[in-house]
Amino acid sequence: MHDTRFVLAAGTTATAERAGLSAAGADPSLASTTPSADAELLTYGQPVRTGTVPVSPDGCPTPALGTRAVRDCLGFDVTVVDAGLSEPTAAPTVSVGAKPGRDITEQDTVPTAYGAFEAARQFGHALPNDELWLAETVPGGTTTALGVLRALGEDVMVSSSLPENPIEQKRDLVEEGLAASSLDPGDAAGQPKRALRRMGDPVLATLSGLTAGAVETDTAVTLAGGSQQLAVAALVRHGGYEGPLSLATTSYVADDPTADLRAGAEGLDLDLTVTDPGFDQTDHVGMNRFVAGEAKEGVGMGGALALAQRAGVPMAEVRAAFADSYGELLDR
């Protein structure tokens, strides 16, 4: 795995402070800590400075446990990029100058979008690995992803970390955000940085910059995630890149009837990999919440599962590692 690097872009958007949008954190007030904790879990296997394991109101653990379980099995290299963290993390991070994003209904949602994109592009260009797997953690990120997609003119619905996708709330917020930014759907087509600054979040800016830089050196890029990574792909395509690009996600996102991930991936000419971790084959309380439709994806879990499958690691081994981590971290 020495030629493979897993890069986690961790950041925040004030959009997550709205009730009913995200399952990341026990309540919206804790959402700002989730990306910092996810970075620690992926790096160290446990919370260090944050002192918390993010869980949903119903007890669903962060998908970081799934990604870390695969890392325990494979040992791939990880780099964390500070893509607008609002709380400190003990994980070593690379800075691209991103600051926490503002609420999607504000006119200038991501003032640091241009600078973060360019710094991330330079970093992605310089990384020496043969392949990059790019992941994200940003509560509220599917709503900002929808905002970016609409600004670009892409008519795709996003998924949700909640069992019931709050589609109408997301649509209303995006409409309000577009109006605040004096945009109609499609007004930012071919202008990805404009879409990012007006309707996105700093994680989307960072990931699209990383992707744009990496493909300049013919590095193979896999976007590890769901709806947010679909928005990243759209940004890169609207920036003019027409070459190969992959998306790896979980079956929970790909099979979400409220979202259009498969159609969106086809429309953006993405090589789609869908992996089922088989959480329905166990009665484990944490895995059962994923089966029930919570979380679904995040922190690159779908990409990590694809790496495990490619390496011939049985999903039963991944589930066992997940259960071990859950027991150590949440059953204390």
Side-chain angles (χ1 to χ4, degrees):
M1 301 292 291
H2 64 282
D3 288 329
T4 300
R5 181 166 299 278
F6 201 92
V7 181
L8 175 66
T12 56
T13 166
T15 306
E17 296 171 9
R18 293 175 174 271
L21 272 188
S22 176
D27 64 64
S29 68
L30 299 178
S32 63
T33 306
T34 295
S36 302
D38 281 342
E40 292 176 355
L41 288 166
L42 185 56
T43 302
Y44 303 114
Q46 63 184 32
V48 178
R49 189 171 185 176
T50 57
T52 182
V53 177
V55 294
S56 76
D58 290 327
C60 182
T62 168
L65 292 192
T67 306
R68 178 67 204 199
V70 175
R71 191 181 184 205
D72 287 339
C73 296
L74 294 180
F76 51 76
D77 290 334
V78 166
T79 297
V80 178
V81 178
D82 182 344
L85 290 171
S86 56
E87 300 290 340
T89 181
T93 61
V94 174
S95 174
V96 292
K99 301 297 182 185
R102 299 172 180 169
D103 188 89
I104 193 173
T105 61
E106 295 193 28
Q107 182 181 31
D108 204 17
T109 307
V110 192
T112 57
Y114 286 34
F117 178 95
E118 183 55 30
R121 187 195 67 77
Q122 293 176 16
F123 183 53
H125 183 96
L127 284 171
N129 304 88
D130 291 338
E131 60 174 8
L132 297 180
W133 293 65
L134 305 182
E136 54 72 28
T137 171
V138 51
T142 57
T143 302
T144 45
L146 181 63
V148 163
L149 288 165
R150 291 294 180 270
L152 294 173
E154 301 289 342
D155 189 19
V156 179
M157 179 45 63
V158 296
S159 187
S160 172
S161 58
L162 295 164
E164 298 294 326
N165 193 351
I167 290 175
E168 292 307 316
Q169 184 182 10
K170 291 178 180 180
R171 283 177 173 157
D172 290 347
L173 288 172
V174 167
E175 287 182 11
E176 190 177 343
L178 287 169
S181 296
S182 301
L183 291 174
D184 287 324
D187 275 359
Q191 304 173 68
K193 292 179 183 177
R194 184 184 182 199
L196 282 166
R197 179 161 184 166
R198 297 302 184 194
M199 296 297 294
D201 63 56
V203 171
L204 291 174
T206 300
L207 286 171
S208 53
L210 282 167
T211 304
V215 298
E216 290 172 359
T217 58
D218 295 325
T219 301
V221 173
T222 299
L223 301 172
S227 298
Q228 287 133 285
Q229 298 290 14
L230 200 65
V232 173
L235 288 160
V236 174
R237 293 301 193 210
H238 278 259
Y241 177 67
E242 299 178 352
L245 196 56
S246 299
L247 178 69
T249 195
T250 65
S251 54
Y252 306 117
V253 173
D255 298 339
D256 181 356
T258 70
D260 306 318
L261 187 117
R262 292 180 187 271
E266 182 178 358
L268 293 167
D269 192 24
L270 305 179
D271 180 12
L272 178 64
T273 299
V274 177
T275 309
D276 181 357
F279 285 173
D280 58 340
Q281 298 177 35
T282 174
D283 59 0
H284 188 277
V285 60
M287 297 185 214
N288 286 347
R289 297 315 306 162
F290 282 84
V291 177
E294 282 197 60
K296 300 184 184 71
E297 174 61 277
V299 200
M301 189 169 107
L305 293 170
L307 279 171
Q309 194 165 67
R310 187 179 75 176
V313 176
M315 286 299 127
E317 187 175 331
V318 174
R319 292 194 296 273
F322 181 102
D324 287 345
S325 293
Y326 187 97
E328 292 173 6
L329 298 172
L330 292 171
D331 285 346
R332 293 180 296 186

